[in-house]
């Protein structure tokens, strides 16, 4: 009840921000960015919603923004809007289909060939599917897009981030977009092979499973980065309940009538993007890794999301799957 009242009232937490803070407010007040060095950020799912607002806010702070997108036309429209707001903004567009491992691998190779540094990776893209669909790799579409694609993206780019941090002295930051809905998943509903090839499909459950996986991914990679003594962190964030395209396209998940009734509880797109901007840019987050943030403040995730053995198991299973699929090598 206390947390609900804090959310509704927009009371700020220890960070100085709260549920009513906007992406632009957070980005503007952050001093993490070094004026003499232009940072580079990759933001997935940036053609609309939270991702687009995140891209706009960080570009306004002088960050070079790389937008990998399935719909290049929409990405070009966003680039035009960003440049209209900030003529000096540097925005690079690339093609990607996050549900396709081959496409993710191709994008990573193309980005690395550009020779750019990489300071920030925001794994923002996400879908919700009411009906059972499969990716070109024959994996359930929600899990493939929201988790598997971002796992591979992070794996292929993390050495570049470590290298950039070593060369510049600026801490690299990876942000995984999760959701409070991750807490709906119990241990009995979190089985790797069943998530890849579900028998009794439920769209809400699949979405929640993918969001739990993104937190577990952050937990495990944080441990690995710490073991390497790398100057790169990874954290998960819950943006809040925002009426984005994910939900508008699927009335069976949350109907427009419920949204109307609950309109006072919903965040604007800019408020939804604030936590991503905070974790990506704030000096207050320096050195924090493997954490979960809500409303620009560290928060608690579910017991299962904190299970280190579950996180390790998921990482191993995912790594083995990708090795078999892309490289035809054992894990």
């Amino acid at each position: 009840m206390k947390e609900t009242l804090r959310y509704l009232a927009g009371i700020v937490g220890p960070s100085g921000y709260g549920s009513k803070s906007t992406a632009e407010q957070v980005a503007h007040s952050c001093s993490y960015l070094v004026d003499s060095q232009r940072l580079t950020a990759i933001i997935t799912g940036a053609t609309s919603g939270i991702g687009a607002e995140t891209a706009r806010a960080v570009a306004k702070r002088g960050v070079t923004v790389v937008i990998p997108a399935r719909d290049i036309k929409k990405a070009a429209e966003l680039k035009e809007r960003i440049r209209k707001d900030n003529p000096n903004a540097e925005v690079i567009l690339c093609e990607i289909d996050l549900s396709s491992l081959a496409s993710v691998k191709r994008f990573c190779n193309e980005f690395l060939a550009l020779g750019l540094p990489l300071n920030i990776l925001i794994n923002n893209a996400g879908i919700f599917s009411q009906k059972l669909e499969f990716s070109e790799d024959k994996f359930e579409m929600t899990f493939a897009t929201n988790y598997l694609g971002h796992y591979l993206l992070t794996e292929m780019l993390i050495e570049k981030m470590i290298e950039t941090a070593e060369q510049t002295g600026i801490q690299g930051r990876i942000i995984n977009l999760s959701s409070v809905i991750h807490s709906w998943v119990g241990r009995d509903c979190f089985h790797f092979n069943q998530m890849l090839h579900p028998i009794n499909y439920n769209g809400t459950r699949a979405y929640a499973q993918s969001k739990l996986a993104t937190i577990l991914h952050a937990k495990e990679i944080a441990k690995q980065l710490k073991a390497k003594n790398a100057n790169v962190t990874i954290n998960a964030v819950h943006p809040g309940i925002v009426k984005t395209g994910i939900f508008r396209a699927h009335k069976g998940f949350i109907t427009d009538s419920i949204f109307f009734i609950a309109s006072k509880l919903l965040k604007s797109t800019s408020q939804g993007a604030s936590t991503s901007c905070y974790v990506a840019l704030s000096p207050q987050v320096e050195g924090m890794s493997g954490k979960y943030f809500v409303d620009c403040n560290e928060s608690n995730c579910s017991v299962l999301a904190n299970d280190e053995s579950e996180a390790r198991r998921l990482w191993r299973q995912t790594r083995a799957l990708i090795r078999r699929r892309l490289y035809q090598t054992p894990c």
Side-chain angles (χ1 to χ4, degrees):
M1 177 61 74
K2 184 179 179 181
E3 290 301 314
T4 301
L5 291 175
R6 179 183 291 275
Y7 171 82
L8 292 174
I11 298 172
V12 301
S15 69
Y17 303 105
S19 62
K20 304 300 182 185
S21 300
T22 66
E24 191 157 338
Q25 288 171 345
V26 172
H28 179 73
S29 62
C30 285
S31 59
Y32 169 68
L33 297 180
V34 180
D35 293 335
S36 62
Q37 299 187 57
R38 180 178 285 274
L39 305 188
T40 302
I42 293 176
I43 306 174
T44 67
T47 56
S48 63
I50 294 169
E53 179 61 17
T54 303
R56 188 191 70 80
V58 300
K60 200 167 184 178
R61 286 289 293 164
V63 178
T64 296
V65 178
V66 180
I67 300 176
R70 186 170 54 182
D71 189 332
I72 290 296
K73 182 179 178 182
K74 287 182 68 177
E77 291 170 353
L78 173 64
K79 179 178 180 178
E80 186 177 342
R81 292 197 301 273
I82 291 175
R83 293 293 297 274
K84 186 176 181 180
D85 190 38
N86 179 16
N88 294 321
E90 289 194 28
V91 181
I92 300 170
L93 309 182
C94 300
E95 192 169 357
I96 195 174
D97 177 357
L98 274 164
S99 72
S100 163
L101 296 177
S103 178
V104 173
K105 181 181 178 183
R106 185 163 52 249
F107 161 75
C108 290
N109 288 334
E110 289 174 356
F111 172 77
L112 293 172
L114 295 176
L116 292 171
L118 182 57
N119 308 91
I120 301 166
L121 171 61
I122 303 181
N123 292 321
N124 170 85
I127 65 166
F128 169 85
S129 181
Q130 273 187 302
K131 60 183 180 180
L132 178 59
E133 299 177 289
F134 290 95
S135 68
E136 69 174 40
D137 297 303
K138 303 298 187 292
F139 304 136
E140 190 277 312
M141 186 65 80
T142 302
F143 196 68
T145 304
N146 297 1
Y147 169 65
L148 293 177
H150 284 129
Y151 175 101
L152 179 59
L153 187 72
T154 303
E155 181 181 78
M156 291 192 66
L157 297 178
I158 201 163
E159 288 303 321
K160 169 56 71 173
M161 296 193 71
I162 293 172
E163 174 189 298
T164 299
E166 288 177 347
Q167 292 174 348
T168 63
I170 301 173
Q171 185 175 85
R173 299 190 181 182
I174 305 169
I175 295 91
N176 283 359
L177 266 285
S178 184
S179 170
V180 69
I181 201 176
H182 82 270
S183 62
W184 296 8
V185 181
R187 197 175 299 274
D188 59 332
C189 292
F190 198 74
H191 301 287
F192 192 67
N193 289 331
Q194 290 180 18
M195 290 186 288
L196 292 174
H197 308 107
I199 298 173
N200 298 311
Y201 180 76
N202 177 283
T204 303
R205 181 174 61 220
Y207 184 77
Q209 289 168 332
S210 72
K211 292 305 179 179
L212 172 59
T214 64
I215 299 178
L216 291 169
H217 176 238
K219 299 279 187 182
E220 174 59 26
I221 298 303
K223 285 183 61 179
Q224 295 182 18
L225 287 167
K226 183 178 180 180
K228 292 180 179 180
N229 199 31
N231 190 22
V232 176
T233 63
I234 178 168
N235 293 288
V237 306
H238 166 53
I241 308 301
V242 184
K243 192 175 182 181
T244 63
I246 289 178
F247 302 125
R248 281 196 296 269
H250 301 285
K251 295 182 180 180
F253 182 48
I254 300 178
T255 67
D256 283 341
S257 61
I258 292 176
F259 267 119
F260 178 77
I261 294 169
S263 61
K264 296 299 182 183
L265 304 178
L266 300 177
K267 284 187 173 186
S268 68
T269 303
S270 185
Q271 290 168 344
S274 64
T275 305
S276 294
C277 290
Y278 174 74
V279 179
L281 305 176
S282 174
Q284 297 180 48
V285 187
E286 185 83 14
M288 297 179 71
S289 196
K291 307 298 184 182
Y292 176 67
F293 290 82
V294 179
D295 297 334
C296 302
N297 288 274
E298 186 181 351
S299 188
N300 297 318
C301 51
S302 71
V303 173
L304 184 55
N306 274 316
D307 190 321
E308 292 185 2
S309 62
E310 193 68 55
R312 184 65 177 177
R313 183 182 304 111
L314 177 65
W315 178 83
R316 284 176 171 168
Q317 290 172 316
T318 309
R319 183 174 184 271
L321 175 75
I322 289 175
R323 289 293 183 276
R324 290 195 303 269
R325 183 56 57 112
L326 281 184
Y327 307 109
Q328 287 80 50
T329 60
C331 59

